[in-house]
Amino acid sequence: MKKFIGLTFAVSSLIQMHGALANQSTDTTNATQINEKFVQMQIQQNASLSRAIKTIVGHYPQQAASIVGTALDLYPDKYKEIIHSAISAQPTLAQEVVSIAIEKGISSCTSIVETAINADPSYVDFVVTAAAHSTPEELKDIVRIAVITEPDSADYIVQSLAKEHPNKIVDILQSAIGAVPLVGEYAVEALLALFPNDAEIVITTAVKESKAQKENVNKIIEAAKNSGVNLEDLGKYAINGGATTEELAKILDK
């Protein structure tokens, strides 16, 4: 009798569990359908996808990320318009929108990053860290496109990414200077402020990447000097990177 009761209870539990899972699946499907209908309805009412996204983000900020994801599913070829509209309307969504777009594989990571930065350059650090977290294997390309798109924020870009990927300082610095050589001094200042104990790798790498342009090398050495790097060490690191003794003398003797 006890065995029978136990078996009955087990079967009953399995039936209830199956019912609960079925209901959960139905709820998820319904939610997706509601989101799709809602987005389509907003587009009809606002006469354009861009206006619809801005309206949704403005009126329903808590649901915005979910609905933006639905919009990307419905209109993947309009991803630039969707990303730009969402971030322009609510810049704090930048990180989430970039992560969603990359996860859906609607376009290249670099195209998504460029679109997001153009929507609101002041959130560039959130954009690049989200992109690098989603696709760490594309770190170099992320740095490159971010610095090209927003060179004035190169210091924030390299600093934010170096915080998240401290073992990739060389890659980050090489990509930044390779993309826009003029940012070398700002990238060095930013990295030395964050990693003073890594002065050797920062200075040597920056000088090596900039040695074709003496003016940029001079600025990098000057930036390192102003950052408080010991002058004897600074000279050694810069020479290891390819600087000449003449270049060093001009700056260190000032």
Side-chain angles (χ1 to χ4, degrees):
M1 184 66 178
K2 287 182 180 179
K3 289 183 179 179
F4 177 75
I5 292 172
L7 181 61
T8 302
F9 178 76
V11 171
S12 176
S13 298
L14 286 171
I15 292 171
Q16 288 176 0
M17 186 182 296
H18 177 76
L21 289 172
N23 288 337
Q24 188 177 21
S25 177
T26 302
D27 290 344
T28 302
T29 302
N30 288 339
T32 301
Q33 290 174 345
I34 290 168
N35 278 356
E36 289 179 356
K37 289 178 181 177
F38 182 72
V39 171
Q40 291 167 333
M41 182 178 69
Q42 288 294 322
I43 293 171
Q44 290 174 355
Q45 291 179 352
N46 288 278
S48 80
L49 179 58
S50 178
R51 279 203 208 101
I53 295 299
K54 287 181 179 179
T55 299
I56 293 169
V57 170
H59 288 87
Y60 309 96
Q62 293 181 333
Q63 303 297 324
S66 172
I67 294 176
V68 165
T70 300
L72 291 171
D73 286 336
L74 289 170
Y75 312 101
D77 57 322
K78 302 286 186 182
Y79 74 93
K80 288 188 177 182
E81 189 175 349
I82 295 168
I83 292 170
H84 195 282
S85 299
I87 295 176
S88 297
Q90 188 61 265
T92 55
L93 279 176
Q95 195 165 6
E96 201 166 0
V97 169
V98 168
S99 297
I100 291 169
I102 291 174
E103 183 182 340
K104 290 184 179 297
I106 54 174
S107 183
S108 68
C109 176
T110 52
S111 181
I112 292 168
V113 167
E114 182 182 12
T115 303
I117 292 173
N118 283 328
D120 195 320
S122 64
Y123 278 75
V124 63
D125 48 342
F126 292 97
V127 170
V128 295
T129 51
H133 178 74
S134 297
T135 54
E137 69 279 4
E138 295 190 46
L139 179 63
K140 289 184 178 181
D141 288 332
I142 292 167
V143 176
R144 178 184 57 78
I145 196 64
V147 171
I148 290 172
T149 307
E150 186 58 23
D152 290 342
S153 298
D155 50 348
Y156 293 112
I157 292 167
V158 299
Q159 199 172 57
S160 298
L161 289 172
K163 280 182 184 177
E164 299 295 320
H165 305 273
N167 60 328
K168 296 290 185 180
I169 289 177
V170 171
D171 289 342
I172 292 168
L173 199 48
Q174 286 176 336
S175 299
I177 295 175
V180 183
L182 290 173
V183 307
E185 62 176 304
Y186 309 109
V188 166
E189 285 178 354
L191 290 175
L192 288 177
L194 193 62
F195 302 104
N197 294 331
D198 289 322
E200 179 175 4
I201 194 170
V202 169
I203 295 166
T204 300
T205 301
V207 170
K208 189 178 293 182
E209 292 300 312
S210 306
K211 63 183 179 182
Q213 292 130 332
K214 288 187 178 181
E215 186 179 348
N216 290 340
V217 170
N218 292 345
K219 289 179 179 179
I220 286 168
I221 296 171
E222 184 77 43
K225 177 184 174 183
N226 294 337
S227 296
V229 178
N230 176 278
L231 295 186
E232 185 179 345
D233 290 338
L234 172 54
K236 182 171 62 176
Y237 303 155
I239 287 174
N240 287 343
T244 65
T245 53
E246 290 79 9
E247 288 169 335
L248 280 170
K250 286 180 183 177
I251 298 167
L252 300 185
D253 292 343
K254 284 183 180 179

